[in-house]
Amino acid sequence: MRDLAQMPLADGGPTRWFSWRRGQRHRPGLQFLVSTGRHHGAESLEEARVLLALDFAGDLIDVLSQPLKLRFQTAQRHREHTPDFLAVTRSGTWLIDVRPRDLVRSEDLESFAATAEVALVCGWRYMVAAEWRTHVLTALDAFSSQRRQLGDPLGLRPALLVSAGQGLSFGELVDTTPFPPVARAQLLHLLWHRHLGADLGGPFGDASLVVSPGGPGR
């Protein structure tokens, strides 16, 4: 088990492939991550949301979907389990399972416990993404709309960065510029890339406080 921690992530691939067929209840697909510059496989919308959250977290180096298959023994029989992601970040490596809370069964709890033991032996961290705060996905969706490369032909970013030091809300910041609709896109881009921060303790909107490093509310 300890040898897993020495496995070069770049040499790995999914231990099982993603399938598409008519009538299936989940929606597999590919999620592009700015952090890696690549598309990564996800077996469901829930997994795609976790990938988006990892991308926004800011410390992501690489991520591997379906990284390994575990075979373990319970009191009744042998079981197999494939964790959903192995995420390498600047603060450590995470083994991640994704399962909505209302779909977790007793067999899943056994699999999660076995996976947690493997992560412990390898010196990794382990988590199960089972539930989101209601407002989180809305904020992630808003920020991610402007996460790719974005030009600034009107030169709005320097003024937004300066104004953010005044402790203004998102809507107030946008209104300090002569082109509010364009400023919204630029401001979301700055928030995604951590050039500015925002209060995400509640639903994100025009009233949300936006701050610069070292500015008010920081």
Side-chain angles (χ1 to χ4, degrees):
M1 286 294 184
R2 283 190 295 269
D3 293 340
L4 282 174
Q6 310 304 319
M7 178 185 70
L9 189 61
D11 296 341
T15 58
R16 66 185 184 196
W17 299 103
F18 305 100
S19 61
W20 290 263
R21 64 182 184 275
R22 294 181 62 183
Q24 67 184 27
R25 299 180 61 183
H26 62 285
R27 185 184 299 177
L30 296 173
Q31 179 72 47
F32 177 80
L33 301 187
V34 174
S35 301
T36 65
R38 307 196 315 274
H39 286 84
H40 298 265
E43 287 191 307
S44 65
L45 292 177
E46 286 295 323
E47 290 188 16
R49 289 166 180 149
V50 170
L51 285 174
L52 189 64
L54 286 171
D55 201 20
F56 178 67
D59 283 337
L60 186 67
I61 298 174
D62 209 346
V63 61
L64 181 63
S65 303
Q66 313 293 331
L68 52 94
K69 179 181 289 186
L70 306 178
R71 182 175 174 83
F72 59 95
Q73 185 172 354
T74 68
Q76 289 78 30
R77 60 189 176 93
H78 284 90
R79 294 275 311 283
E80 290 185 350
H81 176 64
T82 302
D84 294 306
F85 301 114
L86 181 65
V88 179
T89 75
R90 293 178 182 84
S91 58
T93 300
W94 289 82
L95 196 57
I96 302 172
D97 274 307
V98 182
R99 185 64 56 88
R101 183 181 295 274
D102 57 353
L103 297 182
V104 174
R105 303 166 299 175
S106 58
E107 293 85 355
D108 297 319
L109 296 178
E110 292 176 345
S111 297
F112 297 160
T115 308
E117 290 296 322
V118 171
L120 180 63
V121 170
C122 292
W124 300 337
R125 301 178 184 180
Y126 175 67
M127 66 169 289
V128 179
E131 189 174 10
W132 298 92
R133 292 186 179 182
T134 305
H135 67 276
V136 169
L137 296 178
T138 303
L140 281 178
D141 184 62
F143 292 172
S144 67
S145 66
Q146 303 298 334
R147 60 185 168 144
R148 298 181 186 244
Q149 291 186 358
L150 182 67
D152 184 23
L154 299 176
L156 298 179
R157 287 184 198 168
L160 288 170
L161 290 170
V162 171
S163 298
Q166 303 173 17
L168 302 177
S169 68
F170 184 91
E172 290 170 338
L173 263 177
V174 166
D175 289 337
T176 63
T177 71
F179 308 102
V182 181
R184 285 182 176 273
Q186 294 292 344
L187 193 48
L188 289 172
H189 183 80
L190 292 171
L191 286 167
W192 175 274
H193 289 280
R194 294 296 198 279
H195 298 297
L196 294 173
D199 179 8
L200 299 181
F204 179 79
D206 280 1
S208 297
L209 179 66
V210 176
V211 297
S212 60
R218 189 65 174 173

